[in-house]
Amino acid sequence: MTTRPRAAIILAAGQGTRMKSPLPKVLHPVGGRAMLDHAIDAAEGLGCERIVVVVGAHSPEVGAHVTRRLGAGAVAVQDPPLGTGHAVLAARKALHGFDGDVVVTYGDVPLLRANDIAPVFAGNGVTVIGFEACDPAAYGRLILEGETLAAIVEAKEASPDQLAVTACNSGVLAAPADLLFGLLDRVGNANAKGEYYLTDVVALARDAGHPTRAVFAGEDAVMGVNAQAELAAAEALFQKVRREDLLAAGVRMPAPETVYLSWDTEIGPGAVVEPYVMFGPGARIAGGARIRSFSHIEGAVVAAGAEVGPYARLRPGADLGPEVKVGNFVEVKNVAMARGAKANHLAYLGDGAVGEGSNIGAGTIFCNYDGFNKHRTEVGPGAFIGSNSALVAPVRIGAGAMTGSGSVITEDVPDGALALGRARQEVRPGWAERFMSAMRARKAAKG
Ligand code: UD1
Ligand code: CA
């Protein structure tokens, strides 16, 4: 079978009022990625050569978001929103000259992946993705006559018999572009909502002798988000699937239900992730690394044999080499740590590099910010940074160099040198003893 060119129209012009949020609904994240981006990912995964997102005039942020990712040509504005059929027609101009199959999806259905959608392209008439609903509620009902999908009836228009049908419309529908737009030209709005229903094209296609059918997907995969509680439910489903994927790939997670993953979290087989770990976007953990409890990791790379946490924070640009150790209450941002380097306790390493095998003492701070600009701290290989050192960037600590505990280091330290940047200790023999007995006597005299 030859595959015809594919295009996607992603509907995202709804108001999303039930989210009760200043953020437009489709920009709410699931797994750390906007729901709309999940929908675009699915369209790209299907090999769609054209993708058009239909946005409302009420939220220009959505159009801006799409423009950043796909270019301005991918945005179609529907103003005012007069229904799903009307929304698809708003994308017609953007698809001018396209000859192939079009799939319509929603920007607020974040769990639907390319694999779930692909079967809609198998026919040459109108195909929709249906699902068996636990609670069909307000979903459109699929009226099936054997293999043929005779019609989709919206809940508000349905008879009691039709309402009893549990086969429902997910909203995903595909058809050849010319057929789809031709049918939509004939859809009216004489219905309960006074809207132009996309779903009406099914009966029109069937009456005109085109094949119409439904393919079925799981209810979880087609779940739509309309309110915060549904967003949380989608997040829970997303996490469940991602955790199962990682466990199946050989990641050890003794309490997977406490580990939070991002859409792009990569963890290699044989890595261990202890309970209560949070991954933000952009984390790459090699097999054989160990992430201990209560660590927060985003935009960071961790190599094999490295150990992070408990209670560590890796921020974007943290790049931990093999056998590196980053311990409790250590924050690392934009610092590459070479093989075997250690920062075991209570430190901030921001903007710089730590050479192979270096030891960063407890309480060390890379003072990277002067209030205006960020500067780098370079620590050479085999260096030893004494506890509570403040390394004031820009500064370079040479290979095999040391800093004394409590030092404030403002100048470069040559290879192999010891740098001390602290007040010299003074000892006054007997002073404390004399002072204390004088104070005791004074207090006794007072009463
Ligand atoms: C729609 C389907 C219904 C299906 C359900 C699945 C129609 C007529 N009904 O109903 O059969 O069971 O989805 O969730 O298609 N949108 C626009 N412009 C508009 C109206 C909607 O872009 O003018 C977008 C919304 O942002 C949303 C999607 O289309 O992403 C669905 O709209 P919604 O109003 O939620 O449709 P339902 O009534 O739920
Ligand atoms: Ca809906």
Side-chain angles (χ1 to χ4, degrees), residues 18 106 108 226:
R18 278 193 285 154
Y106 294 171
D108 56 3
N226 300 296

Side-chain angles (χ1 to χ4, degrees), residues 237-269:
L237 286 168
F238 175 88
Q239 292 295 335
K240 186 169 172 287
V241 170
R242 292 287 297 125
R243 289 167 189 146
E244 285 166 1
D245 288 349
L246 290 175
L247 290 167
V251 175
R252 181 138 62 93
M253 284 191 284
E257 68 283 4
T258 65
V259 174
Y260 285 83
L261 303 158
S262 272
W263 64 283
D264 62 349
T265 305
E266 290 176 27
I267 309 180

Side-chain angles (χ1 to χ4, degrees), residues 53-413:
V53 181
V54 179
V55 306
H58 48 82
S59 36
E61 304 96 304
V62 179
H65 187 94
V66 175
T67 299
R68 275 195 300 277
R69 178 161 174 189
L70 298 173
V75 179
V77 179
Q78 183 200 18
D79 182 25
L82 300 177
T84 50
H86 181 255
V88 172
L89 280 173
R92 182 186 230 161
K93 228 171 77 194
L95 286 182
H96 182 75
F98 173 79
D99 183 19
D101 291 329
V102 174
V103 63
V104 178
T105 64
Y106 294 171
D108 56 3
V109 179
L111 304 180
L112 200 58
R113 307 214 189 167
N115 283 346
D116 304 311
I117 301 172
V120 290
F121 288 114
N124 50 9
V126 176
T127 309
V128 306
I129 296 184
F131 66 101
E132 277 296 328
C134 282
D135 173 16
Y139 289 116
R141 305 300 203 271
L142 302 186
I143 309 303
L144 289 157
E145 290 173 1
E147 291 290 286
T148 299
L149 178 63
I152 300 177
V153 180
E154 290 305 295
K156 284 206 167 154
E157 333 284 332
S159 67
D161 276 1
Q162 291 170 329
L163 280 177
V165 171
T166 53
C168 289
N169 174 28
S170 71
V172 176
L173 178 149
D178 49 355
L179 175 63
L180 178 65
F181 291 120
L183 293 169
L184 277 170
D185 282 333
R186 296 167 47 206
V187 168
N189 67 347
N191 53 46
K193 285 177 151 180
E195 288 186 357
Y196 297 87
Y197 292 164
L198 170 63
T199 45
D200 283 355
V201 301
V202 173
L204 290 172
R206 197 241 183 168
D207 292 347
H210 298 282
T212 51
R213 59 187 195 112
V215 294
F216 281 78
E219 181 163 17
D220 285 352
V222 301
M223 102 162 264
V225 170
N226 300 296
Q228 299 291 344
E230 288 163 1
L231 181 67
E235 182 70 44
L237 286 168
F238 175 88
Q239 292 295 335
K240 186 169 172 287
V241 170
R242 292 287 297 125
R243 289 167 189 146
E244 285 166 1
D245 288 349
L246 290 175
L247 290 167
V251 175
R252 181 138 62 93
M253 284 191 284
E257 68 283 4
T258 65
V259 174
Y260 285 83
L261 303 158
S262 272
W263 64 283
D264 62 349
T265 305
E266 290 176 27
I267 309 180
V272 178
V273 180
E274 293 184 359
Y276 299 102
V277 172
M278 172 95 207
F279 292 97
R284 261 178 28 233
I285 313 300
R290 184 181 196 94
I291 311 297
R292 307 200 56 195
S293 294
F294 304 106
S295 294
H296 189 286
I297 298 178
E298 80 187 297
V301 176
V302 177
E307 191 172 314
V308 174
Y311 297 99
R313 179 167 184 210
L314 302 185
R315 292 173 51 203
D319 184 351
L320 276 47
E323 317 297 331
V324 161
K325 282 203 170 144
V326 168
N328 38 253
F329 309 107
V330 174
E331 174 179 345
V332 181
K333 184 215 64 168
N334 191 27
V335 168
M337 297 178 72
R339 177 183 289 276
K342 291 185 179 63
N344 275 330
H345 336 264
L346 301 156
Y348 173 58
L349 314 185
D351 299 312
V354 177
E356 189 168 329
S358 285
N359 189 87
I360 308 291
T364 296
I365 306 291
F366 286 13
C367 307
N368 60 329
Y369 187 50
D370 59 15
F372 298 92
N373 294 298
K374 300 279 172 68
H375 304 282
R376 287 178 63 83
T377 298
E378 312 275 350
V379 176
F384 181 93
I385 306 301
S387 295
N388 225 33
S389 291
L391 307 181
V392 182
V395 72
R396 214 192 149 273
I397 313 296
M402 301 176 80
T403 69
S405 294
S407 288
V408 177
I409 302 293
T410 55
E411 284 165 34
D412 289 357
V413 179

